[in-house]
Amino acid sequence: MNWDYLQPVKIIFGKGKVREIGKIAEELGCKKGLLITGPFFIKSGQAEKMIKESKGLLKAAYGDISPNPDVEEVDRCAKMIREEGIDFIVALGGGSSMDAAKAAATIALTEDSIRKYHGTGEKVPQEHLPLIAIPTTAGTGSEVTCVSVLTDRKNKKKSPIVSDGFYPDVAIIDPELTYTMPPQVTAGTGIDVLSHAIEGYWSKGHQPICDALAIHAADLVFQYLYKAYKNPTDEEAREKMCEASVIAGLAFTLPKTTSSHACSFPLTNLHHIPHGEACGLTLDYFARINKDADGGRVLELAKKLGFEDVDAMADAIHDLKASMGLRNDLKDLHLNEEQIAELVKISRHPNLYNNPVEITDEMLLEMYEKLC
Ligand SMILES: NC(=O)c1ccc[n+]([C@@H]2O[C@H](COP(=O)([O-])OP(=O)(O)OC[C@H]3O[C@@H](n4cnc5c(N)ncnc54)[C@H](O)[C@@H]3O)[C@@H](O)[C@H]2O)c1
Ligand SMILES: [Zn+2]
């Protein structure tokens, strides 16, 4: 078996580390930074606090990034970067703010709209402004990935863009920033972590380093997600979920995600189910489909996580979702045949081809009919 491993992001992990933003930015040798975030952190005062703690290096905040950020938000942000002569970016937020910032940090150095690269296969230029990514969910792992997932609402399209230029220069993971996540966000983003770990493991692109990371991350989610959901100020649970999130990010970046992420795109786009919840929705279903795949690798994963077999692991995923009020079906959406056919069609996303078992349209139809 041949494989490569690369991880270019400097990772700084620990409670209170975000307060070192000034020193960290200084080390990058930059002078005029823009903080890119969502409205929650403007209202909470966290954005202003970081600007004050930045030794004068952060000059302003762009605080309009929405969940599942739109390509037009990226273009607006890039325009501001160009107009203000910004020379580095700090992204504060969940995957949405980090992904928008990654794309803006690249596009700002061109005259292009990000639309040119969104789902078109056009190669993104490598050059980008230095980027410090600071996650506030646990989460997408976007702080260590080369992926930016963007939505084009006008053209009803959600698609990841992959570019080596999207790796942040530094990731600051400060568990304290996650304490304010509401329980439903904790639950959904936490199931996203589990999907990254498990899908990274069973992906056709698996490799030994990412396998080890995936097992570690999935094990932490099974131990700590429910605790973090139940008690948002459980410091140990929050810290362990942040550890799981960044490690799962490393576990899936190179192997890539598979079937559950492929199916999540239409569920989020058409039916507004948050990303993590949409991925988790089909995770136990695909675990059962993949049960015997690839010489028993999925069984091996289940056993390493302390389950008797793959069905026991799938049951645990199902029960964990149920215990946190996450969906295990789509019945409340009352979808008709046409809408189910649309789900099948849009689930045929490139990630589907990383699944260790070939997923046919008939299999997708059977799954969605059971879920609906
Ligand atoms: N780049 C990648 O590698 C990657 C991987 C997986 C998913 N994604 C993408 O990331 C996006 C989802 O990101 P996410 O799940 O982190 O959620 P998010 O960034 O969309 O945030 C969800 C909601 O939670 C709020 N929030 C975030 N942190 C908070 C905190 N600490 N306190 C209070 N509120 C908080 C946000 O304001 C928002 O309303 C999707 O677009 C998804 O497709 C990217
Ligand atoms: Zn995800």
Side-chain angles (χ1 to χ4, degrees):
M1 179 188 189
N2 301 330
W3 50 274
D4 301 333
Y5 184 81
L6 170 79
Q7 201 303 104
V9 183
K10 176 173 181 178
I11 299 171
I12 299 173
F13 188 102
K15 254 175 71 183
K17 285 288 176 188
V18 72
R19 292 196 281 278
E20 295 175 20
I21 185 69
K23 182 174 130 252
I24 295 163
E26 213 167 48
E27 281 166 7
L28 281 179
C30 300
K31 302 222 155 18
K32 195 172 180 192
L34 178 70
L35 179 66
I36 298 181
T37 189
F40 176 85
F41 293 101
I42 300 287
K43 276 192 218 117
S44 76
Q46 179 63 32
E48 202 186 330
K49 191 163 172 277
M50 279 175 65
I51 290 173
K52 280 198 188 124
E53 287 168 347
S54 75
K55 299 187 172 187
L57 296 178
L58 276 173
K59 303 294 181 193
Y62 180 98
D64 275 340
I65 303 299
S66 64
N68 308 303
D70 195 273
V71 283
E72 289 183 9
E73 294 170 50
V74 171
D75 284 349
R76 277 199 293 276
C77 206
K79 185 165 176 273
M80 179 171 174
I81 294 169
R82 280 193 290 266
E83 284 173 0
E84 304 287 328
I86 294 297
D87 71 358
F88 78 102
I89 306 292
V90 176
L92 172 75
S96 295
S97 293
M98 291 190 284
D99 287 1
K102 286 174 175 179
T106 297
I107 284 305
L109 299 182
T110 72
E111 289 301 321
D112 299 333
S113 159
I114 190 69
R115 275 211 166 91
K116 180 173 171 191
Y117 307 100
H118 188 235
T120 61
E122 183 90 22
K123 209 167 174 333
V124 181
Q126 296 270 315
E127 210 191 341
H128 61 99
L129 291 175
L131 172 66
I132 301 173
I134 309 178
T136 63
T137 59
T140 63
S142 177
E143 67 276 12
V144 290
T145 75
C146 55
V147 184
S148 166
V149 187
L150 300 174
T151 298
D152 183 344
R153 293 197 174 90
K154 204 161 88 185
N155 295 306
K156 286 193 172 176
K157 186 167 78 174
K158 178 170 184 177
S159 180
I161 310 177
V162 180
S163 165
D164 283 349
F166 285 168
Y167 280 113
D169 296 79
V170 183
I172 307 176
I173 298 132
D174 184 337
E176 279 182 354
L177 291 169
T178 65
Y179 294 0
T180 50
M181 259 195 292
Q184 277 327 98
V185 178
T186 300
T189 55
I191 285 292
D192 193 25
V193 176
L194 191 60
S195 305
H196 295 156
I198 292 181
E199 289 183 69
Y201 189 94
W202 72 36
S203 168
K204 279 184 187 164
H206 68 83
Q207 51 126 304
I209 291 183
C210 296
D211 285 354
L213 296 167
I215 293 165
H216 182 76
D219 186 37
L220 288 175
V221 176
F222 282 119
Q223 285 187 62
Y224 290 102
L225 174 55
Y226 183 74
K227 286 184 183 169
Y229 164 80
K230 204 66 197 154
N231 181 5
T233 55
D234 180 333
E235 290 188 16
E236 188 195 18
R238 287 298 198 190
E239 182 170 306
K240 293 294 184 188
M241 280 307 299
C242 286
E243 181 182 324
S245 175
V246 66
I247 290 179
L250 299 172
F252 88 84
T253 307
L254 299 178
K256 309 271 178 278
T257 53
T258 65
S259 41
S260 289
H261 269 68
C263 293
S264 82
F265 295 124
L267 293 171
T268 299
N269 241 5
L270 304 175
H271 303 294
H272 313 292
I273 301 176
H275 173 74
E277 185 169 13
C279 294
L281 183 72
T282 59
L283 188 62
D284 43 323
Y285 192 92
F286 282 115
R288 293 184 217 274
I289 298 257
N290 292 340
K291 198 185 304 197
D292 301 317
D294 212 354
R297 269 178 50 83
V298 185
L299 175 62
E300 192 182 283
L301 170 68
K303 290 200 161 157
K304 282 184 175 152
L305 291 170
F307 298 105
E308 198 176 318
D309 54 25
V310 178
D311 280 320
M313 180 174 80
D315 288 344
I317 297 169
H318 179 281
D319 295 351
L320 179 60
K321 287 186 286 176
S323 71
M324 300 187 297
L326 294 177
R327 294 163 176 278
N328 268 315
D329 62 50
L330 297 166
K331 296 197 188 312
D332 61 312
L333 298 179
H334 306 293
L335 301 183
N336 60 32
E337 256 178 53
E338 214 175 288
Q339 288 171 308
I340 294 176
E342 197 178 19
L343 280 181
V344 170
K345 188 169 155 230
I346 307 179
S347 297
R348 191 142 292 288
H349 181 276
N351 288 10
L352 201 58
Y353 299 93
N354 300 332
N355 198 67
V357 169
E358 191 196 343
I359 305 295
T360 62
D361 283 355
E362 291 70 35
M363 288 160 89
L364 289 173
L365 182 63
E366 188 186 338
M367 177 184 79
Y368 283 124
E369 280 177 341
K370 278 189 185 145
L371 291 171
C372 290

